Amino acid sequence: QVQLVESGGGSVQPGGSLGLSCAATGTIYITNMAWYRQAPGKERESVAEITRDGDTSYADSVKGRFTISRDNVMNTMWLRMNNLKPEDTAVYYCHMQAVRRGSPLTYWGRGTQVTVAS
């Protein structure tokens, strides 16, 4: 059974930095990886995505501040968040798409809280 194990997050003042990581346990071929976030009272939104080849895309709100990266051997993904703003406060979820025996699979992490406040 594959699980996504998240770490990182926490509380930081505006302008500060935090890092998140997400590792998939078990043997699985992962294609796309992504970070999502959900703020109180809002819908879950995509923050950053990265393909197996390393192509990245970002939400306009985080461009230039967040960096997504991955290691295909370790099945691990990271999100580096710089110049954090109060509006970045949310629960951050990692998401991975995989293929097993030709069938597509989707996995979600449990979420980790990021709070940006003075």
Side-chain angles (χ1 to χ4, degrees), residues 3 10-11 15 22 30 34-35 40 52 64-65 74-75 79 82 92 94 98 104 111 116:
Q3 293 182 333
S11 298
C22 177
I30 297 173
W35 288 98
R52 189 170 181 87
R65 301 187 298 121
M74 297 175 62
N75 278 345
L79 184 68
N82 295 326
Y92 284 69
C94 66
V116 185

Side-chain angles (χ1 to χ4, degrees), residues 1-6 22-26 28 30 75 94 96 107-110:
Q1 180 72 18
V2 174
Q3 293 182 333
L4 302 187
V5 180
E6 299 165 337
C22 177
T25 64
I28 193 77
I30 297 173
N75 278 345
C94 66
M96 295 188 184
Y107 300 97
W108 286 95
R110 292 187 175 183

Side-chain angles (χ1 to χ4, degrees), residues 12 26 35 63-64 77 86 97 109 113 117:
V12 67
W35 288 98
K63 280 182 181 177
M77 166 177 66
Q97 295 175 309
Q113 178 70 44

Side-chain angles (χ1 to χ4, degrees), residues 79-90:
L79 184 68
R80 181 62 181 175
M81 304 180 289
N82 295 326
N83 190 21
L84 283 160
K85 304 176 180 181
E87 50 264 42
D88 295 318
T89 296

Side-chain angles (χ1 to χ4, degrees), residues 42-53:
K42 295 187 177 181
E43 295 185 353
R44 190 173 297 188
E45 62 175 356
S46 175
V47 175
E49 300 180 359
I50 185 167
T51 68
R52 189 170 181 87
D53 293 335

Side-chain angles (χ1 to χ4, degrees), residues 16-76:
S17 299
L18 284 174
L20 305 178
S21 67
C22 177
T25 64
T27 301
I28 193 77
Y29 185 86
I30 297 173
T31 54
N32 296 331
M33 297 180 173
W35 288 98
Y36 286 73
R37 67 185 181 187
Q38 186 167 19
K42 295 187 177 181
E43 295 185 353
R44 190 173 297 188
E45 62 175 356
S46 175
V47 175
E49 300 180 359
I50 185 167
T51 68
R52 189 170 181 87
D53 293 335
D55 295 326
T56 59
S57 60
Y58 297 91
D60 289 341
S61 60
V62 306
K63 280 182 181 177
R65 301 187 298 121
F66 289 14
T67 302
I68 188 172
S69 59
R70 66 184 284 171
D71 184 311
N72 291 334
V73 174
M74 297 175 62
N75 278 345
T76 300

